[in-house]
Amino acid sequence: MKRIAVITSGGDAPGMNAAIRAVTLKALNAGCQVFGVKKGYQGLITGEIVELNSYAVSEILHRGGTILFSTRCPEFKEEQGMKKAKEQLEQLGVEGLVVIGGDGSFRGALDLSKMGFAVVGIPATIDNDIGGTELSLGFDTAVNTALDAINKIRDTAISHERVYVIEVMGRNAGFIALYAGLAGAAAAILIPEVETDLEEVVFRVKNATAKGRGHSIVVVAEGLFGNPMSGRTTAESSAFKVGNYVMKKTGKDTRITILGHLQRGGSPSATARILGTRFGAKAVEELLNGASEKMLGWNKNEITVTPLQEGIAKRNVLDLSLLSLADLLAVT
Ligand code: ADP
Ligand code: F6P
């Protein structure tokens, strides 16, 4: 294999740049020519593809976002879009692709592999919901960003003895809420994977007040009451619904904070940089060894290589014993 392309697609995630850098440097080191596809699958259709050298990927390891840009591109799902993408790749003589993204991006990658291109997927989404890997690129940084915000809100919550309902991202999954809530000693963590009991939240807030603690932090996953739409109003948010209910039932001064897209940005954590670097290098190694239709994962403390289908057909499963632990500590 002499020509490899790398692409970032779907929602961006901190650590994507680390993966782009490692793919590029590892492939150059092996004597390959490397191309970067801009703007996700859209760039594959329109031919916004640039050659990457070591200079192009210098000074990006510490940067959030993706230097290749990212989009959601509905046209790619159609036959016409696929055909254009195939022509672009054939024109450049690209034989192998590294696709960095979530399960939607993996579906696109699978279609590309059916057209004869070798494909390796790197799981990257702050939601951490992709099957076939315990950890997706971006999740660790997003949890730390959410935790930093929770810490800051806690300061003012304590001063004013208020209830704060903090909404975090995750689409339909509760990974960010559970991990940031556990690390941030939330009084309650509400996630889509578990039936919501607002009376229990009310009880915990009243219980805290009775014990002499004036403040409570409640962490809510954005997808608590169904699929979160991008661009929905505050009044439609999960945090608003929970906050309103708790305020009415407890009479406590309550505020809501929706952390939103700030969770997608920021300098990647050390874990993200190392994971992205290892994923990127391994993806190239796999392509050069003739692999295709594969995804990488991080399982039981090592990089794994499994069929791409794993990331599409399965979802990462939350360890609900962590929620039980958080609940136990919150009510004691
Ligand atoms: P993520 O990769 O983060 O899950 P999306 O679900 O938005 O993000 O998918 C990213 C892109 O992948 C889509 O905009 C589209 O171009 C492509 N894609 C998604 N689903 C499919 C599919 N079933 N077939 C082909 N391409 C797809
Ligand atoms: O999938 C990542 C994610 O940030 C989700 O947590 C969130 O629901 C969604 O993307 C937001 O999408 P957009 O950036 O299109 O508003």
Side-chain angles (χ1 to χ4, degrees):
M1 185 169 296
K2 281 279 156 230
R3 293 192 182 90
I4 288 175
V6 55
I7 181 167
T8 50
S9 161
D12 64 351
M16 280 183 162
N17 282 331
I20 295 167
R21 172 179 176 267
V23 166
T24 306
L25 298 179
K26 175 87 180 179
L28 288 173
N29 185 264
C32 297
Q33 203 176 1
V34 189
F35 296 95
V37 180
K38 290 196 162 180
K39 304 179 188 172
Y41 291 126
Q42 189 182 306
L44 213 47
I45 293 171
T46 56
E48 288 177 85
I49 303 171
V50 292
E51 188 167 351
L52 297 176
N53 54 25
S54 58
Y55 180 74
V57 296
S58 71
E59 299 307 327
I60 67 167
L61 183 58
H62 63 291
R63 283 168 56 191
T66 159
I67 59 158
L68 292 175
F69 305 94
S70 192
T71 54
R72 303 194 199 271
C73 171
E75 197 192 340
F76 190 69
K77 294 186 196 172
E78 285 152 29
E79 208 183 311
Q80 201 53 22
M82 282 281 167
K83 203 170 148 254
K84 283 190 210 159
K86 185 171 187 267
E87 283 164 10
Q88 300 286 2
L89 289 172
E90 280 173 351
Q91 247 175 42
L92 290 170
V94 169
E95 297 156 290
L97 278 125
V98 180
V99 175
I100 306 169
D103 59 334
S105 304
F106 279 13
R107 283 193 175 87
L110 195 63
D111 288 347
L112 285 168
S113 77
K114 302 282 179 233
M115 292 191 303
F117 300 101
V119 178
V120 174
I122 292 180
T125 166
I126 64 163
D127 303 335
N128 208 39
D129 56 351
I130 308 175
T133 183
E134 290 165 7
L135 184 62
S136 288
L137 198 52
F139 174 65
D140 181 69
T141 312
V143 169
N144 280 299
T145 303
L147 181 60
D148 182 49
I150 291 170
N151 290 340
K152 286 174 174 147
I153 289 169
R154 181 176 289 283
D155 287 343
T156 179
I158 293 170
S159 304
H160 289 267
E161 300 189 296
R162 282 174 175 155
V163 176
Y164 269 87
V165 179
I166 304 171
E167 181 177 304
V168 298
M169 274 188 166
R171 200 167 298 204
N172 299 313
F175 281 92
I176 299 178
L178 179 55
Y179 281 71
L182 183 59
I189 301 167
L190 304 180
I191 55 176
E193 290 84 351
V194 173
E195 207 181 322
T196 306
D197 183 355
L198 290 180
E199 289 312 321
E200 175 64 20
V201 181
V202 169
F203 164 76
R204 293 205 196 159
V205 170
K206 286 183 173 169
N207 186 41
T209 311
K211 283 182 172 167
R213 199 188 71 203
H215 70 282
S216 289
I217 302 284
V218 178
V219 176
V220 175
E222 63 172 354
L224 192 61
F225 302 114
N227 200 1
M229 309 165 294
S230 201
R232 69 183 175 184
T233 64
T234 305
E236 290 163 333
S237 68
S238 302
F240 191 79
K241 288 175 189 155
V242 172
N244 242 357
Y245 190 86
V246 170
M247 185 160 69
K248 269 194 205 130
K249 290 280 189 144
T250 63
K252 293 273 298 180
D253 197 10
T254 302
R255 296 285 187 273
I256 62 160
T257 304
I258 298 170
L259 298 185
H261 287 82
L262 76 84
Q263 294 160 97
R264 285 244 295 266
S267 183
S269 64
T271 297
R273 294 182 200 195
I274 294 164
L275 189 65
T277 300
R278 293 184 68 178
F279 273 161
K282 182 71 174 172
V284 172
E285 204 178 293
E286 287 299 311
L287 285 176
L288 295 179
N289 285 335
S292 184
E293 245 179 87
K294 300 283 187 223
M295 70 168 281
L296 304 182
W298 180 253
N299 294 296
K300 296 190 171 59
N301 264 336
E302 58 181 34
I303 305 267
T304 53
V305 184
T306 52
L308 194 58
Q309 272 290 357
E310 287 238 336
I312 296 167
K314 292 186 190 165
R315 266 170 72 86
N316 194 15
V317 181
L318 258 186
D319 178 357
L320 290 179
S321 73
L322 293 180
L323 183 62
S324 306
L325 176 60
D327 286 341
L328 176 90
L329 302 185
V331 295
T332 307

